[in-house]
Amino acid sequence: MRLRSPRLPGFGEVVLAAFVYLALVLKFFSVNDEVVPGSHLQLASLATTLGAALPFVLLPLLLPRRLRGLGLLGVDLLLTALVLTDLLSFRYYTDLFTLRNLGLSSQVGEVADSVLALLRPEDALLLLDLPLVAGAAAMLALGRSALPVTRRRVGVVLGGSLLALLPFAGQMGLFRLDMPAVVEAMWDRPAMATGMGVLGYHLADLGMVAKDLVTSEAVAAQEEEAVVQWVSRRDRDLPPEDRPQGWGIGARKNLVMIQVEALQQFVLGRTVGGQEITPNLNRFVRECLYFPNAYNQTALGNSADAEFMTNTSLYPSARGVAYTRFAGNRYVSLGTVLRSQGYGTLALHGDRPGFWNRNRMYPALGFDRYVSKNDFKMDEVIGLGLSDRSFLDQSLRILRKEKQPFYAFLVTLTSHYPYNFPELGNRGDLPLGDLQGTLVGDYLRFIHYTDRQLGRFLEGMRACGLLDRSVVVLYGDHTAIPSANKGELGTFLKGDMMDPLAWKAQQKIPLMIRVPGGTIRGEKEIATGHMDIAPTVASLLGVRLPVAFGQDLLSAGSGRAVFRNGSFLQGNVWVQPEEGRAVSLKTGQELPFEAYAPILEEVRTSLRFSDLILEQDMLPRICRVLP
């Protein structure tokens, strides 16, 4: 008589679910550790991750028998993709993915080189379990030993899932008590992940997205009235005697705004091997009103956020990217204001029109024309699109024919991460020495190339007389060096970029404004950023931008730069509400946090009101009732 091994119905699916659970927990531990090293050992993060992962593997066990294995495979694939997305997002943005950015998935192909540059060999370990799970899922689909779905099974799965989510619910409660704005607006995603793990953060993000979908868009009348009153106090039409010096100095002149891809402040005035990195900008800045303490204020939208802020003086979206979420809004921007004054308005960029939704957003911002790669002669392509040489040469030819006055908004492209496009060849060479082959070295080479093209463009404007018939604004759109390359940057700058204060101090972008004849020039050392460009330019042109959350730098005192996560710079003091800390970036001295409480309240109000204006498309209604 032959003995048979006992058959245990459902044993295979339970083993597979346990295996997938273990694999997912380890994957999320890995991304937790990249965001905050050692965080998987913190009790709150550990408990939340272990609990939050369980419902994902339990719920597929309620599917029909042959689909349970496939359901577990689908969960594994989906959450593995989420882990990889988080890793790439954090390595580049120092931030985590949000569901608000799902609409940008079509753009991945455009930045494939950037994605590949961020991947590491060890990331392949995240995929090792997938073939095993796929094989086991196929065997379960062909087998017949799975248990049926009974009331008891449903009760166990649902009850177990709810119990597993208790640590997450507890952490959400603590966050709402300590930092409610972080939960509602997702201003600081890594801070949330520190306390509840990355998977816990994603559950919170999912909850906020669902809440937005089901919440009525109607805003209480008193809330809208509060926004109107707040804006009225800040943005009023000043009588001539109270207007700042320089008001209207560029009236009826052209406006040429140049947003330079990944241009950071630290390259200006610096040399490599005895050669200037940006010789043309170094010369140009001497003709300009220059702000050496201008900071990057972008959020997840990077270049798109910079464009949005410099044209509207509204903050980036708290969730997702304004260019993709709010292209249907009606804006009061530099473009709409200048167009009402008889200006022609055009935007020029050598990328495809649909990237970052620009083909919809530019008209909303008041641009009558959008000159994209579909309109330029694509005679030289470097990296993501038309080379800066060809783009700026063709743009100058367009501007020379444009009826004046005009507002032209130019966005360069060649100096885009990962700064290793082979098409550049030897045209951006610098004597890099030990920096050769590093990301920082590649960046310097590309910026050197872009500087040369900007010099040609500005001299071309000078030669044809456009330079002294125009207000020219030139600035960088966002930081260039990902946090993963802090060490390289520290070596180049001879500083410790692992120090948060030193790293923050390097998140500067150049901001230079040249008025016709260079009649206003020199450095103004106040804290500023993208948000202040539109009201300052409007002041120089002698027009009023009725709703602006930034400041007119012609009349600003110590200056302020507010960041999307709720922290801000007041003068040279960096105030971090989530840590209850105020510290001088110059000296490193800790200052009394309580002294900044009134400013903190104003900052939070401005961020909230800017979000309301965006989310409720309130600008037209506000402008109708402003004095």
Side-chain angles (χ1 to χ4, degrees):
M1 178 176 176
R2 194 171 70 177
L3 297 174
R4 298 184 189 179
S5 58
R7 297 181 66 186
L8 298 176
F11 180 73
E13 66 187 41
V14 172
V15 170
L16 179 57
F19 179 76
V20 171
Y21 173 73
L22 179 62
L24 290 176
V25 166
L26 292 175
K27 291 176 187 182
F28 278 102
F29 280 171
S30 71
V31 71
N32 286 353
D33 268 4
E34 184 139 347
V35 175
V36 182
S39 63
H40 74 279
L41 299 176
Q42 297 175 13
L43 182 59
S45 176
L46 175 66
T48 304
T49 301
L50 291 173
L54 193 58
F56 286 99
V57 297
L58 287 179
L59 293 175
L61 299 182
L62 298 181
L63 292 171
R65 299 182 186 190
R66 295 183 183 275
L67 297 180
R68 291 170 196 168
L70 295 177
L72 288 167
L73 175 61
V75 165
D76 198 1
L77 285 168
L78 181 65
L79 294 186
T80 299
L82 182 60
V83 166
L84 282 168
T85 302
D86 277 330
L87 287 172
L88 296 175
S89 179
F90 190 77
R91 288 167 189 170
Y92 189 79
Y93 296 113
T94 322
D95 207 343
L96 296 169
F97 171 75
T98 170
L99 287 170
R100 293 292 185 186
N101 281 351
L102 275 177
L104 303 180
S105 57
S106 62
Q107 298 182 187
V108 172
E110 299 283 336
V111 292
D113 288 335
S114 299
V115 171
L116 291 174
L118 292 168
L119 288 171
R120 299 172 182 171
E122 60 266 28
D123 294 337
L125 296 174
L126 299 170
L127 309 177
L128 289 181
D129 62 307
L130 294 176
L132 297 175
V133 175
M139 293 178 63
L140 283 179
L142 296 174
R144 299 182 179 180
S145 62
L147 291 169
V149 177
T150 61
R151 291 183 179 179
R152 180 181 178 183
R153 171 175 282 225
V154 171
V156 169
V157 167
L158 295 183
S161 297
L162 291 174
L163 286 174
L165 290 175
L166 285 178
F168 165 74
Q171 282 299 105
M172 280 289 286
L174 291 175
F175 266 103
R176 289 188 183 280
L177 287 174
D178 295 338
M179 294 183 290
V182 174
V183 175
E184 298 299 329
M186 295 290 171
W187 287 341
D188 195 341
R189 285 169 278 273
M192 290 195 67
T194 300
M196 62 173 59
V198 170
L199 184 55
Y201 148 71
H202 280 298
L203 289 181
D205 184 41
L206 177 63
M208 292 302 104
V209 171
K211 178 183 175 183
D212 287 347
L213 290 175
V214 300
T215 300
S216 169
E217 293 189 356
V219 178
Q222 60 268 27
E223 188 94 81
E224 186 166 322
E225 178 62 24
V227 177
V228 171
Q229 292 299 323
W230 191 84
V231 171
S232 298
R233 289 194 299 271
R234 284 175 49 89
D235 302 283
R236 61 190 187 280
D237 195 7
L238 297 173
E241 63 272 15
D242 291 337
R243 289 170 179 169
Q245 183 180 7
W247 168 276
I249 197 171
R252 303 305 297 169
K253 300 294 185 181
N254 307 310
L255 172 60
V256 178
M257 190 113 76
I258 308 170
Q259 177 170 301
V260 183
E261 174 63 36
L263 177 63
Q264 282 203 245
Q265 192 263 355
F266 68 78
V267 297
L268 267 65
R270 197 174 292 272
T271 61
V272 174
Q275 186 172 339
E276 288 181 290
I277 300 168
T278 57
N280 295 286
L281 291 180
N282 295 344
R283 285 192 296 271
F284 182 65
V285 76
R286 292 194 286 269
E287 304 177 30
C288 297
L289 183 59
Y290 177 54
F291 300 89
N293 293 317
Y295 282 81
N296 166 43
Q297 292 178 285
T298 62
L300 286 178
N302 263 12
S303 299
D305 280 351
E307 295 180 22
F308 182 70
M309 284 185 283
T310 54
N311 278 283
T312 66
S313 196
L314 294 173
Y315 290 107
S317 174
R319 296 177 290 275
V321 180
Y323 261 39
T324 56
R325 289 192 65 199
F326 303 114
N329 282 21
R330 295 156 294 172
Y331 293 98
V332 181
S333 63
L334 273 178
T336 60
V337 168
L338 291 176
R339 188 170 61 185
S340 71
Q341 300 294 315
Y343 278 65
T345 56
L346 68 159
L348 306 99
H349 187 31
D351 204 348
R352 65 181 178 90
F355 196 62
W356 274 124
N357 208 28
R358 288 185 175 101
N359 56 330
R360 294 185 61 208
M361 197 63 185
Y362 281 162
L365 293 178
F367 291 108
D368 293 323
R369 293 166 55 200
Y370 174 22
V371 186
S372 71
K373 71 182 295 184
N374 291 358
D375 309 293
F376 286 111
K377 181 180 180 182
M378 300 298 289
D379 53 358
E380 183 182 54
V381 173
I382 296 179
L384 303 186
L386 188 62
S387 73
D388 285 352
R389 182 200 63 79
S390 183
F391 167 68
L392 290 169
D393 284 353
Q394 293 186 61
S395 295
L396 181 58
R397 290 198 291 270
I398 291 171
L399 298 188
R400 289 177 64 178
K401 299 176 183 177
E402 198 72 13
K403 181 183 176 182
Q404 301 182 47
F406 60 77
Y407 167 29
F409 181 62
L410 290 76
V411 181
T412 72
L413 186 58
T414 299
S415 52
H416 196 286
Y417 184 88
Y419 324 117
N420 60 2
F421 304 117
E423 300 93 340
L424 185 68
N426 295 323
R427 286 166 289 182
D429 276 357
L430 279 170
L432 294 173
D434 292 341
L435 291 171
Q436 189 71 42
T438 66
L439 181 133
V440 169
D442 288 341
Y443 168 68
L444 298 179
R445 194 165 68 93
F446 270 71
I447 281 296
H448 183 65
Y449 163 84
T450 294
D451 171 81
R452 185 183 308 146
Q453 312 318 317
L454 289 168
R456 282 164 44 89
F457 176 78
L458 293 168
E459 287 308 308
M461 285 188 67
R462 194 188 309 272
C464 70
L466 272 178
L467 193 62
D468 278 335
R469 295 199 299 271
S470 307
V471 173
V472 178
V473 183
L474 190 150
Y475 63 93
D477 59 354
H478 53 75
T479 53
I481 308 302
S483 61
N485 298 89
K486 287 179 179 178
E488 282 185 24
L489 183 61
T491 300
F492 172 60
L493 297 179
K494 297 181 173 57
D496 180 13
M497 292 300 109
M498 299 304 170
D499 177 3
L501 295 182
W503 179 246
K504 186 65 177 180
Q506 291 305 326
Q507 306 309 300
K508 295 180 184 178
I509 52 151
L511 171 56
M512 51 192 81
I513 303 174
R514 185 190 188 277
V515 299
T519 52
I520 299 180
R521 66 179 72 184
E523 290 191 3
K524 195 168 185 179
E525 293 194 3
I526 62 174
T528 181
H530 296 105
M531 290 288 292
D532 301 331
I533 293 176
T536 304
V537 169
S539 181
L540 287 168
L541 295 175
V543 298
R544 183 185 175 215
L545 190 65
V547 179
F549 284 80
Q551 57 192 338
D552 178 358
L553 295 175
L554 300 181
S555 58
S558 62
R560 181 185 301 168
V562 177
F563 307 106
R564 184 62 263 189
N565 66 358
S567 68
F568 61 93
L569 278 166
Q570 183 69 27
N572 63 16
V573 178
W574 184 23
V575 182
Q576 304 167 74
E578 70 277 9
E579 296 184 17
R581 186 182 187 211
V583 58
S584 169
L585 287 183
K586 284 190 175 181
T587 66
Q589 179 185 0
E590 294 274 353
L591 300 169
F593 176 74
E594 297 76 17
Y596 295 89
I599 301 174
L600 174 59
E601 187 57 35
E602 184 178 346
V603 165
R604 286 175 170 167
T605 299
S606 68
L607 286 166
R608 184 167 65 90
F609 283 175
S610 179
D611 291 340
L612 278 173
I613 286 172
L614 264 184
E615 292 166 4
Q616 307 302 328
D617 192 14
M618 291 171 58
L619 274 176
R621 301 196 297 275
I622 291 174
C623 291
R624 279 197 296 269
V625 298
L626 282 176

